[in-house]
Amino acid sequence: MTGAVSGAPDPLALAASWLPATWSGVTPTMTLATIGLDGYPSARTVLLSAFDGQRLHFHTDTRSRKAAELAAVPRASVTIHWPDVARQLTVTGDVAPVTDREARIAYDARSRYLQVLAWLNDTDLAVAPEADRRVRWAAFEREHGDAPLSPPPTWGGFALTPLRMLFWTGAADGPSNRLAYERDACGVWRSEVWPG
Ligand SMILES: Cc1cc2nc3c(=O)[nH]c(=O)nc-3n(C[C@H](O)[C@H](O)[C@H](O)COP(=O)(O)O)c2cc1C
């Protein structure tokens, strides 16, 4: 059920044309699937922090489940869906931690709310009664005012280098299909058209 395709665009350039041109403000959300420590898939939503032309960056707490899973098996798959334009992009590949500089740039680009959340979002706060949670949040904001925040020591990021890329295109009044790419051991991309 596949069809060879000639003259397909470079998948990284195609991804760049689907993704935002700038990375401040609102960025796409994506479903990030990792391999759980028990071998079952493990999925959650994260923000795509950036696409640098080669790799997709995302950021998280280094104490998180996903960080432990990626330390054990540094492979992941992400799916981004744009319902308004009937597109879906799935990227699967190898994951490595980003540099401290890349992590800092991503932290600085996050909203103030997400910067505060990165400081406070631990198990201790999660299990506290709701009123206490809000008191602690307000106390943090009072203490720091409008001063710029640095990332907490637990802030970290990862970058996914694509091995496979799947571009799904739909239409309200016609068939969908997918442009599927896989990079071979020499780094050359092969492509096929798949049904949607
Ligand atoms: C819209 C949305 C965006 C999110 N963005 C992030 C993110 O960028 N990084 C992150 O660590 N968690 C993000 N989360 C929370 C994760 O979905 C998840 O609950 C958390 O990271 C813990 O996941 P884990 O236990 O699988 O590591 C987001 C959740 C939602 C609903």
Side-chain angles (χ1 to χ4, degrees), residues 93-160:
D94 299 299
V95 174
V98 298
T99 63
D100 289 349
R101 184 170 174 277
E102 288 168 329
R104 176 67 200 238
I105 289 169
Y107 184 81
D108 290 346
R110 293 261 157 137
S111 66
R112 181 75 177 186
Y113 168 82
L114 291 176
Q115 290 180 346
V116 173
L117 190 65
W119 273 99
L120 297 179
N121 197 18
D122 61 11
T123 305
D124 194 37
L125 187 73
V127 301
E130 182 61 20
D132 292 3
R133 288 155 51 74
R134 290 185 176 274
V135 165
R136 278 151 75 171
W137 187 281
F140 184 95
E141 288 193 313
R142 221 175 18 257
E143 185 186 337
H144 294 275
D146 292 333
L149 292 174
S150 297
T154 51
W155 176 254
F158 295 92
L160 170 66

Side-chain angles (χ1 to χ4, degrees), residues 10-16 19 23 50-57 162 165:
D10 171 67
L12 298 172
L14 183 57
L19 293 167
W23 296 97
F51 175 59
D52 62 17
Q54 302 287 330
R55 302 171 307 157
L56 291 95
H57 298 230
M165 301 179 80

Side-chain angles (χ1 to χ4, degrees), residues 7-27:
D10 171 67
L12 298 172
L14 183 57
S17 74
W18 281 27
L19 293 167
T22 59
W23 296 97
S24 55
V26 179
T27 61

Side-chain angles (χ1 to χ4, degrees), residues 33-42 44 65 68-70 72-73 75-76:
T34 48
I35 299 167
L37 297 179
D38 59 2
Y40 283 92
S42 180
R44 78 290 285 159
R65 200 171 42 133
E69 290 167 354
L70 289 169
V73 183
R75 292 178 175 174

